[in-house]
Amino acid sequence: MEVHAEIEEVARAIEAVRSGAISPEEFRRVRVIQGIYPIRGGTDRYLLRIRIPLGRPSPSHLRALADAADRFASGRPVHLTTRQDVHIYDIGIRDIPEAMAFLAERGLTTREACGDTVRNIVVCPFAGIARDEPFDVVPYADAVGRYLLRNPLGQGLPRKFKIAFEGCGGADHVDLACHDVGVRAVRSDSGCPGFRVTLAGGLGALPQAGIALEPFTPAGDLGDTILAVLRLFDRLGDRQRRGRARLKFVALSMGEDPFRQAVVDERRALEKASGRTLRLPEPAVQPSAYIHEGKTPRGWPGAFFQRGNGVVAVPLQVPLGDLAPEQLRRLAEIAEKADATVRLTQAQGILVSDVPEDLVAVLAGKLREAGFRPPGEIALTRCAGTETCTVGTTRAHSLADRIEKEVLCSGDTAVSAGREISVRISGCANGCGRHLLADIGLQGVARSVTGLGEGAGRLAPRYVLFLGGGQDENGGVRFGTRVGRIPARRVIEAVKRVLAVLRHDAIPGERAGETISRLGVSPFIAALGDLLEPPPELFTEEDFLDLGTSGPVPFPPRPHGAEGSLIRFPDTISGGA
């Protein structure tokens, strides 16, 4: 009944805003908590952001997403986000309630996928199958997610709140240090299960790595720790200045040590007042030993043996993070027949796990027929860009499409596990594409062309190039080093030159980030030459047009609603930041 009441509230609000009975801002307050965002490119067109708990859609969920895209979005591809959500674009405003009801009847919700809420909890796609994990974090993430969804504590926070769980021993597949709460599974010296928790991380224009709360948080204390942070944020977060409302600004204003102590004190007060209200599973069982060392399954590049006997995980590359409805149906059928599990990755890809070894070859054939392919040399991630995003600066989707077609190797490009070069694109400083955490990061900006020469003073689309972001050698986060600005239409050539340096100068077995750290940025600057910060006289008329446009298209794009849309207000479609 609660779900139906929410959908009815949205339906009433839509009719009210269409009739003028409520303002667009009043409508915004209703819709954002329900995962509804306006998009560019049409009058009163919206996207729905659907939460995929644990990033693991069932076959029936995949079919529901496909059917919803066909029925409400004219068969447009759905998009996998960097938070294991799914976007369905281009839904008419009057179709939103029916689309929400359609999804709800099939076990999917958009609730709290947006707004000043606890967003969908991100879980490492390798959880439960990684060879080096201390224990499976999924039961903990599941319990936290279920408890916080529709919980009054998370309905009206100062700003959005993001949580991630990682189980792998050394790697970080979810960018833990850039979340409000990052939770890594560890065991104490005596073998007790617990977590290493980081707090108040974030990206955007002022990135901050998460602060370590304490050396070890016992598994039984995790629930109260998360609730303590939420209570503290709810009380101390800045509700007057939205640009400084995230948890990281609370930590910055207090200082690291006082912030840590405030969380511990809040946790202690919570335990004393009410006991443990967020109950988590019993201590995790030690996973079975990994018995496949040195072995690689045949039939699909990048496939690997999981824990357990004779089961394999198969990674899939999803170009631009987009899946056509028919691909979703084919994937559902393939997973169902193999009794496999579909897992969404934070890099906008898919991992199909629990595949019996003797079915890998057959499954591989079916996947290729459905248009899927193995991971290649480059792992490409992108934000929505101004093709749909109402607050972005550049057309990130068009740039990613060009890189996909002109730079990425075609066909099956097999690389050693974990050796991919990450390229991440954000269309503005919000960083939804997580460009600061990439080997090659690109952030869209609008900058005037100053000085002498034709066109001086006009705004031109450019991308700021960052190199060497990701996980550092100590397991912490390393933000990419700013190299300089490149005109949008010259970025393809710039990426090719950066890749050429990486391929030429890398030591065998070295990750791209390690190569960049060892070399520094000087060799890359030399290779880029006049692509970086070109003088005004080198700009042509084409350099004032963003990618994917031609003719007299204004840049930067006009504010959303400037051409007569009924509902006019900005939103940030932040799938990742």
Side-chain angles (χ1 to χ4, degrees):
M1 292 300 294
E2 189 174 23
V3 175
H4 294 304
E6 292 169 359
I7 296 172
E8 288 173 2
E9 182 186 20
V10 170
R12 288 193 298 270
I14 287 172
E15 292 308 311
V17 76
R18 285 177 57 81
S19 68
I22 65 172
S23 69
E25 180 56 33
E26 289 173 304
F27 177 53
R28 181 187 184 280
R29 288 196 287 269
V30 174
R31 66 173 174 77
V32 290
I33 200 170
Q34 299 294 349
I36 304 166
Y37 274 136
I39 63 172
R40 288 186 188 273
T43 301
D44 303 324
R45 311 301 292 181
Y46 287 77
L47 74 81
L48 287 183
R49 179 179 292 162
I50 298 104
R51 293 170 63 116
I52 307 296
L54 309 176
R56 298 184 183 184
S58 68
S60 62
H61 289 158
L62 295 171
R63 292 189 180 98
L65 293 167
D67 292 344
D70 276 341
R71 183 169 174 177
F72 303 105
S74 303
R76 183 170 174 164
V78 306
H79 180 64
L80 310 182
T81 80
T82 57
R83 293 202 63 77
Q84 297 170 325
D85 294 318
V86 173
H87 284 175
I88 299 180
Y89 287 95
D90 207 22
I91 299 176
I93 187 171
R94 302 189 74 169
D95 292 330
I96 288 172
E98 186 181 353
M100 292 175 65
F102 181 89
L103 292 165
E105 289 166 3
R106 290 153 181 81
L108 293 169
T109 185
T110 61
R111 176 78 184 192
E112 293 160 52
C114 309
D116 299 330
T117 63
V118 180
R119 301 291 184 87
N120 193 32
I121 294 176
V122 172
V123 183
C124 175
F126 301 99
I129 63 175
R131 68 181 66 185
D132 61 347
E133 63 181 354
F135 55 89
D136 187 0
V137 298
V138 164
Y140 297 90
D142 187 42
V144 172
R146 289 177 184 274
Y147 180 84
L148 292 178
L149 182 63
R150 295 185 174 88
N151 189 301
L153 179 59
Q155 302 303 293
L157 295 168
R159 198 68 172 86
K160 58 190 174 184
F161 192 91
K162 298 181 177 182
I163 302 172
F165 280 77
E166 175 62 78
C168 294
D172 180 0
H173 303 102
V174 294
D175 299 331
L176 279 178
C178 295
H179 284 77
D180 296 290
V181 178
V183 182
R184 180 184 288 279
V186 295
R187 286 189 179 271
S188 68
D189 293 339
S190 60
C192 294
F195 300 95
R196 188 173 299 125
V197 178
T198 56
L199 302 174
L203 295 175
L206 295 170
Q208 175 175 299
I211 300 164
L213 173 63
E214 53 198 356
F216 180 80
T217 301
D221 289 347
L222 179 64
D224 283 340
T225 300
I226 293 173
L227 293 181
V229 177
L230 274 168
R231 284 161 56 107
L232 196 70
F233 179 45
D234 186 50
R235 194 164 63 246
L236 300 180
D238 191 334
R239 296 180 183 273
Q240 304 303 315
R241 297 176 297 173
R242 191 161 179 81
R244 297 187 67 83
R246 293 292 300 274
L247 180 66
K248 63 184 177 182
F249 294 106
V250 175
L252 284 170
S253 65
M254 295 179 70
E256 288 191 13
D257 288 338
F259 176 70
R260 288 190 189 95
Q261 190 59 51
V263 172
V264 171
D265 291 345
E266 188 74 22
R267 180 175 64 188
R268 189 177 296 120
L270 185 65
E271 292 170 352
K272 186 176 181 180
S274 58
R276 286 178 174 157
T277 56
L278 201 177
R279 296 191 177 278
L280 297 179
E282 292 298 314
V285 177
Q286 181 76 29
S288 58
Y290 186 76
I291 61 174
H292 304 287
E293 205 65 53
K295 299 178 183 178
T296 302
R298 297 179 179 179
W300 188 268
F304 60 92
F305 283 106
Q306 307 172 192
R307 292 185 179 277
N309 293 319
V311 284
V312 172
V314 177
L316 313 180
Q317 186 174 1
V318 179
L320 307 183
D322 293 339
L323 285 171
E326 189 54 34
Q327 284 184 295
L328 290 167
R329 294 188 183 95
R330 296 285 294 275
L331 182 60
E333 180 183 359
I334 290 167
E336 214 163 44
K337 288 185 176 180
D339 198 22
T341 303
V342 174
R343 303 164 179 237
L344 307 183
T345 76
Q346 197 187 35
Q348 298 174 329
I350 290 173
L351 185 69
V352 182
S353 65
D354 310 309
V355 179
E357 182 182 3
D358 58 359
L359 291 183
V360 172
V362 174
L363 180 137
K366 297 291 185 183
L367 288 170
R368 292 178 198 277
E369 289 174 6
F372 293 101
R373 68 190 192 203
E377 180 187 22
I378 297 172
L380 179 63
T381 306
R382 57 95 178 177
C383 75
T386 54
E387 288 86 349
T388 54
C389 180
T390 60
V391 298
T393 304
T394 58
R395 297 172 65 89
H397 181 283
S398 295
L399 175 58
D401 186 49
R402 289 278 300 275
I403 292 175
E404 175 75 31
K405 293 173 179 175
E406 300 179 32
V407 180
L408 271 62
C409 299
S410 61
D412 295 343
T413 305
V415 294
S416 301
R419 303 297 178 190
E420 297 91 349
I421 299 171
S422 62
V423 179
R424 299 184 180 183
I425 307 167
S426 297
C428 71
N430 285 323
C432 301
R434 298 174 180 263
H435 62 278
L436 290 175
L437 302 175
D439 299 318
I440 302 173
L442 296 160
Q443 177 205 322
V445 296
R447 289 292 180 271
S448 62
V449 180
T450 58
L452 299 176
E454 186 178 352
R458 288 173 60 188
L459 289 172
R462 306 193 199 187
Y463 281 86
V464 182
L465 173 65
F466 296 85
L467 294 176
Q471 188 176 5
D472 65 23
E473 57 276 7
N474 299 316
V477 68
R478 177 179 57 228
F479 296 124
T481 299
R482 188 184 189 280
V483 176
R485 293 186 294 253
I486 301 166
R489 291 179 179 266
R490 307 183 197 188
V491 169
I492 303 298
E493 177 60 27
V495 171
K496 290 178 179 178
R497 294 187 191 182
V498 171
L499 290 173
V501 174
L502 287 173
R503 288 166 178 150
H504 183 268
D505 293 343
I507 296 171
E510 190 175 51
R511 298 176 188 272
E514 294 169 337
T515 303
I516 295 167
S517 180
R518 175 173 55 81
L519 295 175
V521 298
S522 295
F524 299 96
I525 292 174
L528 291 166
D530 61 6
L531 296 178
L532 276 176
E533 310 286 358
E537 58 267 23
L538 292 184
F539 275 75
T540 67
E541 188 62 29
E542 193 175 52
D543 286 315
F544 293 96
L545 299 176
D546 204 350
L547 292 168
T549 63
S550 60
V553 178
F555 179 84
R558 293 187 181 97
H560 178 65
E563 297 181 358
S565 176
L566 173 68
I567 300 172
R568 304 178 183 182
F569 42 80
D571 285 70
T572 301
I573 303 178
S574 53

